Amino acid sequence: MKMNAQDESAQVDQIIARARAAQKAYEAKGSQALYDKAALAVGWAIMQPERNRTLAELAVKTTGLGNVPDKITKNHRKTLGLLRDIADAKTHGVVRDDPENGITEIARPLGVVGAVVPSTNPAATPANNIINAVKGGNAIVVAPSPKGVASCETLLSYIHAEFDKLGLDRDLVQMLPSPGSKAKTQRLMETCNRVICTGSQNNVHRAQSCGTPAVAVGAGNVTVIVDETADLAAAAAKITASKTFDNATSCSSENALVVVDAIYNDFLAAMAAEGGALVPANQAHTIIERLWPDGHLNREVIAQDADKMLAALGMADQVPADTKFLAVETDGIGAEHPLSGEKLSRVVALYRARDYEDAAATAARILNYQGAGHSIGLHSARDDRALELGRSIPTCRVIVNQAHCFATGGAFNNGMPFSLSMGCGSWGGNAIDDNLNWKHFVQTTKVIREIPPREPAVEDLFAGYWSEVGQ
């Protein structure tokens, strides 16, 4: 019998009720040691090699996105990095005591987290959210995309098996039952204590307007500048590794390369050596027609292996046999120029800039069209240019001389928190400008005590101002 909206809401309400009861009991017996063990249990549920491979294979089979080896790597490294990040994080009890200001700060759970997750990372993203949630003393209910249901169900079965070893309530980690629906997800978002949303901008809008405090992320459309001082061989190698990883499912995969004229041809040669094939501007229309055959991205191209992508685009016999991705020359930016937007495939738009200043201006135009707030990449020997981009471009991250999709969400060779969800600040319509991390899964209570007064004299504050402009 088909459920109506009222039935679906009642079903979600029952799940939330069980989650609330489990969370209250978890918090009541809570300790830092317990929260840490719960997080490790979730981590091992996805990192254990046989489980990891099963999840990776299932994800590719059911979503048709990405490839198994890279999903195995992603599941392992993203989880390993997150567990490293949170190992010493204090999420229970007194986390700060400041006698001078009379303030003691106590970590408290949010309650029940509702996590909306995408099909691009149907195991890694839920695991990331679940680890952060239980580390903070919360329960969590996951709302997977329709194609991600099987992966999420399998992941939760592994988590519950680990929870059984610790005597933890399985209701701490639940998911919306299949089949998924907008009504179920909406009810979850309206009745949980905090929404965490990674995915389509439609889901983000719904999350941020549901009435529950929400942490959501913006659209990706990564633009990378290669200037005349760059190590071109290194830049080409890093761009290729990043662009092709998991068949470009990541929101942090390069979508546009802006290369200055002085080294343009040399960069093309370096790119070709790494497997990047050039599609000249006079052939760009053929790529556009096949990549957006009906105004929507072609599912035979999205996140596919190179051979399938090339066949679907009619390029298999027009590029070298070892081609890993296509770089399509263009100068158009905006809604009438789809190459300037996110492509979710092994296709990157290639812009030729007169000089660095023109490259920065082009990058800004691209991000103002799509991807504002997310990130920009720079391959350059000049750190001052990275700082300049950080002051002028609408972005929360400037990734310098790194493989972009590995670096943006945290890496072992940079200091960003490991995450699969990047906040994009006001530019991207988000409340956060950081990588989603454990701090977004806890709140604090402050105990405030009286201290000796520290009231300044008016003259002490205004003396310099008055001397300059008068009273």
Side-chain angles (χ1 to χ4, degrees), residues 205-217:
H205 173 73
R206 290 170 57 215
Q208 294 184 150
S209 58
C210 71
T212 301
V215 175
V217 299

Side-chain angles (χ1 to χ4, degrees), residues 104-135:
T104 300
E105 196 168 356
I106 303 168
R108 306 285 299 280
L110 301 172
V112 177
V113 174
V116 182
V117 297
S119 58
T120 48
N121 296 304
T125 299
N128 189 284
N129 287 334
I130 294 166
I131 289 169
N132 281 319
V134 299
K135 171 75 176 186

Side-chain angles (χ1 to χ4, degrees), residues 123 188 195 206-207 223 238 242 247 268 273 373 390 415 438 463 465:
L188 170 65
V195 178
R206 290 170 57 215
T223 302
K238 290 172 181 177
S242 172
N247 294 344
L268 293 186
W438 66 270
Y465 179 73

Side-chain angles (χ1 to χ4, degrees), residues 171-184:
D171 284 344
L172 283 172
V173 179
Q174 299 179 73
M175 62 178 283
L176 294 184
S178 180
S181 72
K182 289 184 177 179
K184 289 179 185 176

Side-chain angles (χ1 to χ4, degrees), residues 425-440:
S426 63
W427 298 293
N430 300 152
I432 64 170
D433 60 5
D434 199 0
N435 290 6
L436 180 74
N437 63 78
W438 66 270
K439 296 176 184 177
H440 302 118

